Coordinates of all heavy atoms in Angstrom, one line a residue:
M1 N -72.9 -156.0 159.5 CA -73.6 -155.6 158.3 C -74.2 -154.2 158.5 O -75.0 -154.0 159.4 CB -74.7 -156.5 157.9 CG -74.2 -157.9 157.6 SD -75.7 -158.9 157.2 CE -74.9 -160.4 156.7
G2 N -73.8 -153.2 157.7 CA -74.3 -151.9 157.8 C -74.1 -151.2 159.1 O -75.1 -150.8 159.7
V3 N -72.9 -151.1 159.5 CA -72.6 -150.5 160.8 C -71.9 -149.1 160.6 O -71.2 -148.9 159.6 CB -71.7 -151.4 161.7 CG1 -72.4 -152.6 162.2 CG2 -70.4 -151.8 161.0
Q4 N -72.2 -148.2 161.5 CA -71.6 -146.9 161.4 C -71.1 -146.5 162.8 O -71.8 -146.8 163.8 CB -72.6 -145.8 160.9 CG -73.2 -146.1 159.5 CD -74.5 -146.9 159.5 OE1 -75.3 -146.8 160.4 NE2 -74.6 -147.8 158.6
D5 N -69.9 -145.8 162.8 CA -69.4 -145.2 164.0 C -69.2 -146.3 165.1 O -69.3 -146.0 166.3 CB -70.3 -144.1 164.5 CG -70.5 -143.0 163.5 OD1 -69.5 -142.5 163.0 OD2 -71.7 -142.7 163.2
S6 N -68.8 -147.5 164.7 CA -68.5 -148.5 165.7 C -67.0 -148.6 166.0 O -66.2 -148.1 165.2 CB -69.1 -149.9 165.3 OG -68.3 -150.3 164.2
T7 N -66.7 -149.2 167.1 CA -65.3 -149.4 167.5 C -65.1 -150.8 167.9 O -65.8 -151.3 168.8 CB -64.9 -148.4 168.6 OG1 -65.2 -147.1 168.2 CG2 -63.4 -148.5 169.0
I8 N -64.1 -151.5 167.3 CA -63.7 -152.8 167.7 C -62.2 -152.7 168.1 O -61.3 -152.6 167.3 CB -63.9 -153.8 166.5 CG1 -65.3 -153.8 166.0 CG2 -63.4 -155.2 166.9 CD1 -65.5 -154.6 164.7
V9 N -62.0 -152.8 169.4 CA -60.7 -152.5 169.9 C -60.3 -153.6 170.9 O -61.1 -154.0 171.8 CB -60.7 -151.1 170.6 CG1 -59.3 -150.8 171.3 CG2 -61.0 -150.0 169.6
D10 N -59.0 -154.0 170.8 CA -58.3 -154.8 171.9 C -59.0 -156.2 172.1 O -59.2 -156.6 173.2 CB -58.2 -154.1 173.2 CG -57.3 -152.8 173.1 OD1 -56.4 -152.8 172.2 OD2 -57.5 -151.9 173.8
N11 N -59.3 -156.9 171.0 CA -59.9 -158.2 171.1 C -58.9 -159.2 170.6 O -58.0 -159.0 169.8 CB -61.2 -158.3 170.2 CG -62.2 -157.3 170.7 OD1 -62.9 -157.6 171.7 ND2 -62.4 -156.2 170.0
Q12 N -59.1 -160.5 171.0 CA -58.4 -161.7 170.5 C -59.4 -162.4 169.7 O -60.4 -162.9 170.2 CB -58.0 -162.5 171.7 CG -57.0 -161.8 172.6 CD -55.6 -162.0 172.2 OE1 -55.2 -163.0 171.5 NE2 -54.7 -161.1 172.5
V13 N -59.2 -162.5 168.4 CA -60.1 -163.3 167.5 C -59.2 -164.4 166.8 O -58.5 -164.2 165.9 CB -60.7 -162.3 166.4 CG1 -61.6 -163.1 165.5 CG2 -61.3 -161.1 167.0
V14 N -59.3 -165.6 167.4 CA -58.4 -166.6 167.1 C -59.1 -168.0 166.9 O -60.1 -168.2 167.6 CB -57.2 -166.8 168.1 CG1 -56.4 -165.5 168.1 CG2 -57.7 -167.1 169.5
N15 N -58.5 -168.8 166.1 CA -58.9 -170.2 165.9 C -60.4 -170.4 165.5 O -61.0 -171.4 165.9 CB -58.6 -171.0 167.2 CG -57.1 -171.0 167.5 OD1 -56.3 -171.1 166.6 ND2 -56.8 -170.9 168.8
N16 N -60.9 -169.5 164.7 CA -62.3 -169.7 164.2 C -62.2 -170.6 162.9 O -61.2 -170.6 162.2 CB -62.9 -168.4 163.8 CG -63.2 -167.6 165.1 OD1 -64.0 -167.9 165.9 ND2 -62.4 -166.5 165.2
M17 N -63.3 -171.3 162.6 CA -63.3 -172.1 161.4 C -63.4 -171.3 160.1 O -63.2 -171.8 159.0 CB -64.5 -173.1 161.5 CG -64.3 -174.2 162.6 SD -62.7 -175.1 162.4 CE -62.9 -175.9 160.8
D18 N -63.8 -170.0 160.2 CA -63.9 -169.2 159.0 C -62.9 -168.1 159.2 O -61.8 -168.3 159.5 CB -65.4 -168.7 158.9 CG -65.7 -168.3 157.4 OD1 -64.8 -168.2 156.6 OD2 -66.9 -168.0 157.2
G19 N -63.3 -166.8 159.0 CA -62.5 -165.7 159.1 C -62.5 -165.1 160.5 O -63.1 -165.6 161.4
G20 N -61.8 -163.9 160.6 CA -61.8 -163.2 161.9 C -62.8 -162.1 162.0 O -63.9 -162.3 162.4
L21 N -62.5 -160.9 161.6 CA -63.4 -159.7 161.7 C -63.9 -159.4 160.3 O -63.1 -159.3 159.4 CB -62.6 -158.5 162.3 CG -62.1 -158.7 163.7 CD1 -61.2 -157.5 164.1 CD2 -63.3 -158.8 164.7
Y22 N -65.2 -159.2 160.2 CA -65.8 -159.0 158.9 C -66.7 -157.8 158.9 O -67.7 -157.8 159.7 CB -66.5 -160.3 158.5 CG -67.1 -160.3 157.1 CD1 -66.2 -160.4 156.0 CD2 -68.4 -160.4 156.9 CE1 -66.7 -160.4 154.7 CE2 -69.0 -160.4 155.6 CZ -68.1 -160.5 154.5 OH -68.6 -160.5 153.3
L23 N -66.5 -156.8 158.1 CA -67.3 -155.6 158.0 C -67.9 -155.5 156.6 O -67.1 -155.5 155.6 CB -66.5 -154.4 158.3 CG -67.1 -153.0 158.3 CD1 -68.1 -152.9 159.5 CD2 -66.1 -151.9 158.4
T24 N -69.2 -155.4 156.5 CA -69.8 -155.4 155.1 C -71.0 -154.4 155.1 O -71.4 -153.9 156.1 CB -70.3 -156.8 154.7 OG1 -70.7 -156.8 153.4 CG2 -71.3 -157.4 155.6
D25 N -71.5 -154.2 153.9 CA -72.6 -153.3 153.6 C -73.9 -154.0 153.2 O -74.6 -153.4 152.4 CB -72.1 -152.3 152.6 CG -72.0 -152.9 151.2 OD1 -71.8 -154.1 151.1 OD2 -72.0 -152.1 150.2
E26 N -74.1 -155.2 153.6 CA -75.3 -155.9 153.2 C -76.6 -155.2 153.4 O -77.5 -155.3 152.5 CB -75.3 -157.3 153.9 CG -74.1 -158.2 153.7 CD -74.0 -158.7 152.2 OE1 -75.0 -158.9 151.5 OE2 -72.8 -158.9 151.8
T27 N -76.8 -154.6 154.5 CA -78.1 -153.9 154.8 C -78.1 -152.4 154.7 O -79.1 -151.8 154.6 CB -78.5 -154.3 156.3 OG1 -77.5 -153.9 157.2 CG2 -78.7 -155.8 156.4
A28 N -76.9 -151.8 154.8 CA -76.7 -150.4 154.7 C -75.2 -150.1 154.5 O -74.4 -151.0 154.8 CB -77.2 -149.7 155.9
P29 N -74.8 -148.9 154.2 CA -73.4 -148.6 154.2 C -72.7 -148.8 155.5 O -73.3 -148.6 156.6 CB -73.3 -147.1 153.8 CG -74.7 -146.8 153.1 CD -75.6 -147.7 153.8
S30 N -71.4 -149.2 155.5 CA -70.6 -149.2 156.7 C -69.6 -148.2 156.6 O -68.8 -148.1 155.7 CB -70.0 -150.6 156.8 OG -70.9 -151.6 157.1
F31 N -69.6 -147.3 157.6 CA -68.6 -146.1 157.6 C -68.3 -145.6 158.9 O -69.0 -145.9 159.9 CB -69.1 -145.0 156.7 CG -70.5 -144.4 157.1 CD1 -70.5 -143.4 158.0 CD2 -71.7 -145.0 156.6 CE1 -71.7 -142.8 158.4 CE2 -72.9 -144.5 157.0 CZ -72.9 -143.4 157.9
N32 N -67.1 -144.9 159.0 CA -66.6 -144.3 160.2 C -66.4 -145.4 161.3 O -66.6 -145.1 162.5 CB -67.5 -143.2 160.8 CG -67.6 -142.0 159.8 OD1 -66.6 -141.8 159.1 ND2 -68.6 -141.3 159.9
D33 N -66.0 -146.6 161.0 CA -65.7 -147.6 162.0 C -64.2 -147.7 162.2 O -63.4 -147.5 161.3 CB -66.3 -149.0 161.4 CG -67.8 -148.9 161.2 OD1 -68.5 -148.6 162.1 OD2 -68.2 -149.1 160.0
V34 N -63.8 -148.1 163.4 CA -62.4 -148.2 163.8 C -62.2 -149.7 164.2 O -62.9 -150.2 165.1 CB -62.0 -147.3 164.9 CG1 -60.6 -147.5 165.4 CG2 -62.2 -145.8 164.4
I35 N -61.2 -150.3 163.6 CA -60.7 -151.6 164.0 C -59.3 -151.5 164.4 O -58.4 -151.2 163.6 CB -60.9 -152.7 162.9 CG1 -62.3 -152.8 162.4 CG2 -60.3 -154.0 163.3 CD1 -62.5 -153.6 161.2
S36 N -59.0 -151.6 165.7 CA -57.7 -151.2 166.2 C -57.3 -152.0 167.4 O -58.1 -152.4 168.3 CB -57.7 -149.7 166.6 OG -56.4 -149.3 167.1
G37 N -56.0 -152.4 167.5 CA -55.4 -153.1 168.6 C -55.8 -154.5 168.8 O -55.7 -155.1 169.9
N38 N -56.4 -155.1 167.7 CA -56.9 -156.5 167.8 C -55.8 -157.5 167.4 O -54.9 -157.2 166.6 CB -58.1 -156.7 166.9 CG -59.2 -155.7 167.3 OD1 -59.8 -156.0 168.3 ND2 -59.4 -154.7 166.6
T39 N -55.9 -158.7 167.9 CA -55.1 -159.8 167.4 C -56.0 -160.8 166.7 O -56.9 -161.3 167.3 CB -54.3 -160.5 168.6 OG1 -53.4 -159.6 169.2 CG2 -53.5 -161.7 168.0
V40 N -55.8 -161.0 165.4 CA -56.6 -161.8 164.6 C -55.7 -162.9 164.0 O -54.9 -162.6 163.1 CB -57.3 -161.0 163.5 CG1 -58.3 -161.8 162.7 CG2 -58.0 -159.8 164.1
S41 N -55.8 -164.1 164.5 CA -54.9 -165.1 164.0 C -55.5 -166.5 164.0 O -56.4 -166.8 164.7 CB -53.6 -165.1 164.9 OG -53.9 -165.4 166.2
N42 N -54.9 -167.4 163.1 CA -55.2 -168.8 163.0 C -56.7 -169.0 162.7 O -57.2 -170.0 163.1 CB -54.8 -169.5 164.3 CG -53.3 -169.4 164.5 OD1 -52.5 -169.6 163.6 ND2 -52.9 -169.1 165.8
N43 N -57.3 -168.1 161.9 CA -58.6 -168.4 161.5 C -58.5 -169.1 160.2 O -57.9 -168.7 159.2 CB -59.4 -167.0 161.3 CG -59.5 -166.3 162.6 OD1 -60.2 -166.8 163.5 ND2 -58.7 -165.2 162.8
K44 N -59.1 -170.3 160.1 CA -58.7 -171.4 159.2 C -59.0 -171.1 157.7 O -58.1 -171.4 156.9 CB -59.4 -172.7 159.6 CG -59.2 -173.1 161.0 CD -57.7 -173.4 161.3 CE -57.6 -173.8 162.7 NZ -56.3 -173.4 163.3
V45 N -60.1 -170.6 157.3 CA -60.5 -170.6 155.9 C -60.4 -169.2 155.3 O -60.0 -169.1 154.1 CB -62.0 -171.1 155.8 CG1 -62.5 -171.0 154.4 CG2 -62.1 -172.5 156.3
D46 N -60.7 -168.1 156.0 CA -60.9 -166.8 155.3 C -59.8 -165.8 155.9 O -58.9 -166.2 156.5 CB -62.3 -166.3 155.6 CG -62.8 -165.5 154.4 OD1 -62.0 -165.0 153.6 OD2 -64.1 -165.4 154.3
C47 N -60.1 -164.6 155.5 CA -59.1 -163.5 155.9 C -59.2 -163.2 157.4 O -60.2 -163.4 158.0 CB -59.5 -162.2 155.1 SG -59.5 -162.5 153.3
G48 N -58.1 -162.5 157.8 CA -58.1 -162.1 159.2 C -59.1 -160.9 159.4 O -60.0 -161.0 160.3
I49 N -58.9 -159.8 158.6 CA -59.8 -158.7 158.7 C -60.3 -158.4 157.3 O -59.5 -158.2 156.4 CB -59.1 -157.5 159.3 CG1 -58.6 -157.7 160.7 CG2 -60.0 -156.2 159.3 CD1 -57.6 -156.7 161.3
T50 N -61.6 -158.3 157.1 CA -62.2 -158.0 155.8 C -63.2 -156.9 155.9 O -64.0 -156.8 156.8 CB -63.0 -159.3 155.4 OG1 -62.1 -160.4 155.3 CG2 -63.7 -159.0 154.0
I51 N -63.0 -156.0 154.9 CA -64.0 -154.9 154.6 C -64.5 -155.2 153.2 O -63.7 -155.1 152.2 CB -63.4 -153.5 154.7 CG1 -63.0 -153.2 156.2 CG2 -64.5 -152.5 154.2 CD1 -62.4 -151.8 156.4
A52 N -65.8 -155.6 153.0 CA -66.3 -156.0 151.7 C -67.6 -155.3 151.4 O -68.5 -155.3 152.2 CB -66.5 -157.5 151.6
A53 N -67.6 -154.6 150.2 CA -68.8 -154.0 149.7 C -69.5 -154.9 148.7 O -68.9 -155.4 147.8 CB -68.5 -152.7 149.0
H54 N -70.7 -155.2 149.0 CA -71.5 -156.2 148.2 C -72.7 -155.5 147.5 O -73.3 -156.2 146.6 CB -72.0 -157.4 149.0 CG -70.9 -158.2 149.5 ND1 -70.7 -158.5 150.8 CD2 -69.9 -158.9 148.8 CE1 -69.6 -159.3 151.0 NE2 -69.1 -159.5 149.8
V55 N -73.1 -154.4 147.9 CA -74.4 -153.8 147.5 C -74.1 -152.5 146.8 O -73.7 -151.5 147.4 CB -75.4 -153.6 148.6 CG1 -76.7 -153.0 148.1 CG2 -75.7 -155.0 149.3
A56 N -74.4 -152.4 145.5 CA -74.3 -151.1 144.8 C -75.1 -150.0 145.5 O -76.3 -150.3 145.8 CB -74.7 -151.3 143.3
G57 N -74.5 -148.9 145.7 CA -75.3 -147.8 146.3 C -75.0 -147.7 147.8 O -75.4 -146.7 148.4
H58 N -74.5 -148.8 148.4 CA -74.2 -148.8 149.8 C -72.7 -148.4 150.0 O -72.3 -147.3 150.1 CB -74.5 -150.1 150.5 CG -75.9 -150.3 150.7 ND1 -76.4 -151.5 151.3 CD2 -77.0 -149.6 150.4 CE1 -77.7 -151.4 151.4 NE2 -78.1 -150.3 150.8
G59 N -71.8 -149.4 150.1 CA -70.4 -149.2 150.2 C -69.9 -149.2 151.6 O -70.6 -149.2 152.6
D60 N -68.5 -149.2 151.7 CA -67.8 -149.2 152.9 C -66.8 -148.1 152.8 O -66.0 -148.1 151.8 CB -67.0 -150.5 153.1 CG -68.0 -151.7 153.2 OD1 -69.0 -151.6 153.9 OD2 -67.6 -152.7 152.6
Y61 N -66.8 -147.1 153.6 CA -65.9 -145.9 153.5 C -65.6 -145.3 154.8 O -66.3 -145.4 155.8 CB -66.5 -144.9 152.5 CG -68.0 -144.5 152.8 CD1 -68.3 -143.4 153.6 CD2 -69.0 -145.2 152.3 CE1 -69.6 -143.0 153.8 CE2 -70.3 -144.9 152.5 CZ -70.6 -143.8 153.3 OH -71.9 -143.4 153.6
R62 N -64.5 -144.6 154.8 CA -64.0 -143.9 156.0 C -63.8 -144.8 157.2 O -64.0 -144.4 158.3 CB -64.8 -142.6 156.3 CG -64.7 -141.5 155.3 CD -65.2 -140.2 155.7 NE -66.5 -140.3 156.3 CZ -67.7 -140.0 155.7 NH1 -67.6 -139.7 154.4 NH2 -68.8 -140.1 156.3
N63 N -63.4 -146.0 157.0 CA -63.1 -147.0 158.1 C -61.6 -147.0 158.3 O -60.8 -146.7 157.4 CB -63.6 -148.4 157.7 CG -65.1 -148.4 157.5 OD1 -65.9 -148.1 158.4 ND2 -65.5 -148.6 156.3
T64 N -61.2 -147.3 159.5 CA -59.8 -147.3 159.9 C -59.4 -148.6 160.5 O -60.1 -149.1 161.4 CB -59.5 -146.2 160.9 OG1 -59.9 -144.9 160.4 CG2 -58.0 -146.1 161.3
I65 N -58.4 -149.2 159.9 CA -57.8 -150.5 160.4 C -56.4 -150.1 160.8 O -55.5 -149.9 159.9 CB -57.8 -151.6 159.3 CG1 -59.2 -151.8 158.8 CG2 -57.2 -152.8 159.8 CD1 -59.3 -152.7 157.7
T66 N -56.1 -150.1 162.1 CA -54.8 -149.7 162.6 C -54.3 -150.4 163.8 O -55.2 -150.8 164.6 CB -54.8 -148.1 162.8 OG1 -53.5 -147.7 163.1 CG2 -55.7 -147.7 163.9
N67 N -53.0 -150.6 163.9 CA -52.4 -151.2 165.1 C -52.9 -152.6 165.4 O -53.1 -153.0 166.6 CB -52.5 -150.3 166.3 CG -51.9 -149.0 166.0 OD1 -50.8 -148.9 165.5 ND2 -52.5 -147.9 166.4
N68 N -53.3 -153.4 164.4 CA -53.7 -154.8 164.6 C -52.6 -155.8 164.3 O -51.7 -155.4 163.6 CB -54.9 -155.1 163.7 CG -56.1 -154.2 164.0 OD1 -56.8 -154.4 165.0 ND2 -56.3 -153.2 163.2
V69 N -52.7 -157.0 164.8 CA -51.9 -158.1 164.4 C -52.8 -159.1 163.6 O -53.8 -159.5 164.2 CB -51.2 -158.8 165.6 CG1 -50.5 -160.0 165.1 CG2 -50.3 -157.8 166.3
S70 N -52.5 -159.4 162.4 CA -53.2 -160.4 161.6 C -52.3 -161.4 161.0 O -51.5 -161.1 160.1 CB -54.0 -159.6 160.5 OG -54.8 -160.6 159.8
E71 N -52.3 -162.6 161.6 CA -51.3 -163.6 161.2 C -51.8 -165.0 161.1 O -52.8 -165.3 161.9 CB -50.0 -163.5 162.1 CG -50.3 -163.8 163.5 CD -49.1 -163.6 164.4 OE1 -48.0 -163.2 163.9 OE2 -49.3 -163.8 165.6
N72 N -51.3 -165.7 160.2 CA -51.6 -167.2 160.1 C -53.0 -167.4 159.8 O -53.6 -168.4 160.3 CB -51.1 -168.0 161.3 CG -49.6 -167.8 161.5 OD1 -48.8 -167.8 160.6 ND2 -49.2 -167.6 162.7
N73 N -53.7 -166.6 159.0 CA -55.1 -166.8 158.6 C -55.2 -167.5 157.3 O -54.2 -167.6 156.5 CB -55.8 -165.4 158.5 CG -55.9 -164.8 159.9 OD1 -56.6 -165.3 160.8 ND2 -55.2 -163.7 160.1
G74 N -56.3 -168.1 157.0 CA -56.5 -169.0 155.8 C -56.5 -168.2 154.5 O -56.4 -168.9 153.4
A75 N -56.6 -166.9 154.5 CA -56.6 -166.1 153.2 C -55.7 -164.9 153.5 O -54.7 -165.0 154.2 CB -58.0 -165.8 152.8
A76 N -56.2 -163.7 153.1 CA -55.4 -162.5 153.3 C -55.4 -162.1 154.7 O -56.3 -162.4 155.5 CB -55.9 -161.4 152.4
G77 N -54.3 -161.4 155.1 CA -54.3 -160.8 156.5 C -55.3 -159.7 156.6 O -56.1 -159.7 157.6
I78 N -55.4 -158.8 155.7 CA -56.4 -157.7 155.6 C -56.8 -157.6 154.2 O -56.0 -157.5 153.3 CB -55.8 -156.4 156.1 CG1 -55.3 -156.4 157.6 CG2 -56.8 -155.2 155.9 CD1 -54.5 -155.2 158.0
L79 N -58.2 -157.6 154.0 CA -58.8 -157.6 152.6 C -59.7 -156.4 152.6 O -60.6 -156.3 153.4 CB -59.5 -158.9 152.3 CG -60.3 -158.9 151.0 CD1 -59.4 -158.8 149.8 CD2 -61.2 -160.1 151.0
I80 N -59.6 -155.6 151.6 CA -60.6 -154.6 151.2 C -61.1 -154.9 149.8 O -60.2 -154.9 148.9 CB -60.1 -153.2 151.3 CG1 -59.6 -152.9 152.7 CG2 -61.1 -152.2 150.8 CD1 -59.0 -151.5 152.9
A81 N -62.4 -155.2 149.6 CA -62.8 -155.8 148.4 C -64.2 -155.3 148.0 O -65.0 -155.1 148.8 CB -62.8 -157.3 148.4
T82 N -64.4 -155.2 146.6 CA -65.7 -154.9 146.0 C -65.8 -156.0 145.0 O -65.4 -155.8 143.8 CB -65.8 -153.5 145.4 OG1 -64.7 -153.4 144.5 CG2 -65.6 -152.5 146.5
P83 N -66.4 -157.1 145.3 CA -66.4 -158.3 144.4 C -67.3 -158.1 143.1 O -67.2 -158.9 142.2 CB -66.9 -159.4 145.2 CG -67.6 -158.8 146.4 CD -67.0 -157.5 146.6
T84 N -68.2 -157.1 143.1 CA -69.1 -157.0 142.0 C -69.1 -155.5 141.5 O -68.8 -154.6 142.3 CB -70.6 -157.3 142.3 OG1 -71.0 -156.5 143.4 CG2 -70.7 -158.8 142.7
P85 N -69.2 -155.3 140.2 CA -69.2 -153.9 139.7 C -70.3 -153.0 140.3 O -71.4 -153.5 140.6 CB -69.5 -154.1 138.2 CG -69.2 -155.5 137.9 CD -69.4 -156.3 139.2
G86 N -69.9 -151.8 140.5 CA -70.8 -150.8 141.1 C -70.7 -150.7 142.6 O -71.3 -149.8 143.2
D87 N -70.0 -151.6 143.3 CA -69.8 -151.5 144.7 C -68.7 -150.5 145.0 O -67.9 -150.2 144.1 CB -69.4 -152.8 145.3 CG -70.4 -153.9 145.0 OD1 -71.6 -153.6 144.9 OD2 -70.0 -155.1 145.0
T88 N -68.7 -149.9 146.2 CA -67.7 -148.9 146.6 C -67.0 -149.2 147.9 O -67.7 -149.4 148.9 CB -68.4 -147.5 146.7 OG1 -69.0 -147.2 145.4 CG2 -67.4 -146.4 147.0
D89 N -65.7 -149.3 147.9 CA -64.8 -149.2 149.1 C -63.9 -148.1 148.9 O -63.0 -148.1 148.0 CB -64.0 -150.5 149.2 CG -64.7 -151.6 150.0 OD1 -65.4 -151.2 151.0 OD2 -64.5 -152.8 149.7
S90 N -64.1 -147.0 149.7 CA -63.2 -145.8 149.4 C -62.9 -145.1 150.7 O -63.6 -145.2 151.7 CB -63.9 -144.9 148.4 OG -65.2 -144.5 148.9
W91 N -61.9 -144.3 150.7 CA -61.4 -143.5 151.8 C -61.2 -144.3 153.1 O -61.3 -143.8 154.2 CB -62.3 -142.4 152.1 CG -62.6 -141.5 151.0 CD1 -61.6 -140.7 150.3 CD2 -63.8 -141.2 150.3 NE1 -62.2 -140.0 149.3 CE2 -63.5 -140.3 149.2 CE3 -65.1 -141.7 150.5 CZ2 -64.5 -139.9 148.4 CZ3 -66.1 -141.2 149.6 CH2 -65.8 -140.3 148.6
N92 N -60.8 -145.6 153.0 CA -60.5 -146.5 154.1 C -59.0 -146.3 154.4 O -58.2 -146.2 153.4 CB -60.9 -147.9 153.8 CG -62.3 -148.1 153.7 OD1 -63.1 -147.8 154.6 ND2 -62.8 -148.5 152.5
T93 N -58.6 -146.4 155.6 CA -57.2 -146.2 156.0 C -56.7 -147.5 156.7 O -57.4 -148.0 157.6 CB -57.1 -145.1 157.0 OG1 -57.5 -143.9 156.4 CG2 -55.6 -144.9 157.5
V94 N -55.6 -148.0 156.2 CA -55.0 -149.2 156.8 C -53.5 -148.8 157.1 O -52.8 -148.4 156.3 CB -54.9 -150.4 155.8 CG1 -54.2 -151.6 156.4 CG2 -56.3 -150.7 155.3
S95 N -53.2 -148.8 158.4 CA -51.9 -148.3 158.8 C -51.4 -149.0 160.1 O -52.2 -149.5 160.9 CB -51.9 -146.8 159.1 OG -52.7 -146.5 160.2
N96 N -50.1 -149.2 160.2 CA -49.4 -149.7 161.4 C -49.9 -151.0 161.9 O -50.0 -151.2 163.1 CB -49.5 -148.6 162.5 CG -48.8 -147.3 162.2 OD1 -47.8 -147.3 161.6 ND2 -49.5 -146.2 162.5
N97 N -50.2 -151.9 161.0 CA -50.6 -153.3 161.3 C -49.4 -154.2 161.1 O -48.6 -154.0 160.2 CB -51.8 -153.7 160.4 CG -53.0 -152.8 160.6 OD1 -53.7 -153.0 161.6 ND2 -53.2 -151.9 159.7
R98 N -49.4 -155.3 161.9 CA -48.4 -156.4 161.7 C -49.2 -157.5 161.0 O -50.1 -158.1 161.5 CB -47.9 -156.9 163.0 CG -46.9 -158.0 162.8 CD -46.3 -158.4 164.2 NE -45.5 -159.6 163.9 CZ -45.2 -160.4 164.8 NH1 -45.6 -160.3 166.1 NH2 -44.4 -161.4 164.6
V99 N -48.8 -157.8 159.7 CA -49.5 -158.7 158.9 C -48.5 -159.8 158.3 O -47.8 -159.4 157.4 CB -50.3 -158.0 157.7 CG1 -51.1 -159.0 156.9 CG2 -51.1 -156.9 158.3
I100 N -48.5 -161.0 158.9 CA -47.5 -162.0 158.5 C -48.1 -163.4 158.5 O -49.0 -163.7 159.2 CB -46.3 -162.0 159.4 CG1 -46.7 -162.2 160.9 CG2 -45.5 -160.6 159.3 CD1 -45.5 -162.5 161.8
G101 N -47.5 -164.2 157.6 CA -47.8 -165.6 157.6 C -49.2 -166.0 157.2 O -49.7 -167.2 157.5
N102 N -49.9 -165.2 156.5 CA -51.3 -165.5 156.0 C -51.2 -166.3 154.7 O -50.2 -166.2 154.0 CB -52.1 -164.2 155.8 CG -52.2 -163.5 157.1 OD1 -53.0 -164.0 158.0 ND2 -51.5 -162.4 157.3
D103 N -52.2 -167.1 154.4 CA -52.1 -167.9 153.2 C -52.2 -167.2 151.9 O -51.8 -167.7 150.8 CB -53.2 -169.0 153.2 CG -52.9 -170.1 154.2 OD1 -51.8 -170.1 154.7 OD2 -53.8 -170.9 154.5
H104 N -52.7 -165.9 151.8 CA -52.7 -165.1 150.7 C -51.9 -163.9 151.0 O -51.1 -163.8 151.9 CB -54.2 -164.8 150.3 CG -55.0 -165.9 149.8 ND1 -55.1 -166.3 148.5 CD2 -55.6 -166.9 150.5 CE1 -55.8 -167.4 148.4 NE2 -56.2 -167.8 149.6
G105 N -52.1 -162.8 150.2 CA -51.4 -161.6 150.5 C -51.6 -161.0 151.9 O -52.6 -161.3 152.5
G106 N -50.6 -160.2 152.3 CA -50.7 -159.6 153.6 C -51.9 -158.6 153.6 O -52.8 -158.7 154.4
I107 N -51.8 -157.6 152.7 CA -52.9 -156.6 152.6 C -53.3 -156.7 151.1 O -52.5 -156.4 150.2 CB -52.4 -155.2 152.9 CG1 -52.0 -155.2 154.4 CG2 -53.5 -154.2 152.7 CD1 -51.3 -153.9 154.9
V108 N -54.6 -157.0 150.9 CA -55.1 -157.2 149.5 C -56.2 -156.2 149.3 O -57.1 -156.1 150.1 CB -55.6 -158.6 149.3 CG1 -56.2 -158.8 148.0 CG2 -54.5 -159.6 149.6
M109 N -56.2 -155.5 148.1 CA -57.3 -154.6 147.7 C -57.7 -155.0 146.3 O -56.9 -155.1 145.4 CB -56.8 -153.2 147.7 CG -56.3 -152.7 149.1 SD -55.6 -151.1 149.0 CE -57.1 -150.1 148.8
H110 N -59.0 -155.3 146.2 CA -59.6 -155.6 144.9 C -61.0 -155.3 144.8 O -61.7 -155.1 145.8 CB -59.3 -157.0 144.4 CG -60.0 -158.1 145.1 ND1 -61.3 -158.5 144.9 CD2 -59.6 -158.9 146.2 CE1 -61.7 -159.5 145.7 NE2 -60.7 -159.8 146.5

């Protein structure tokens, strides 16, 4: 929640009862974060990798999701979302990921 300039690299995030990796703006904007080289799989209920903006005026931006494997998760493989009006997810980069076998779309933006 509210992280800046962090790096999440080369982790195994598997078999959780909820989702895998989750980046949000609950307490402050989340920006300039890198999620790379991770394996995120078999997380039962939610998405493999999620960037979600929930607070108007905060937002998630300039984050990079690259070179990850996200497979067999309970929802989307990779989700970038702003579930309420006024939230901002922008300038995020998603590239060179392997996203297969998830219960919802591979890469979902809403």
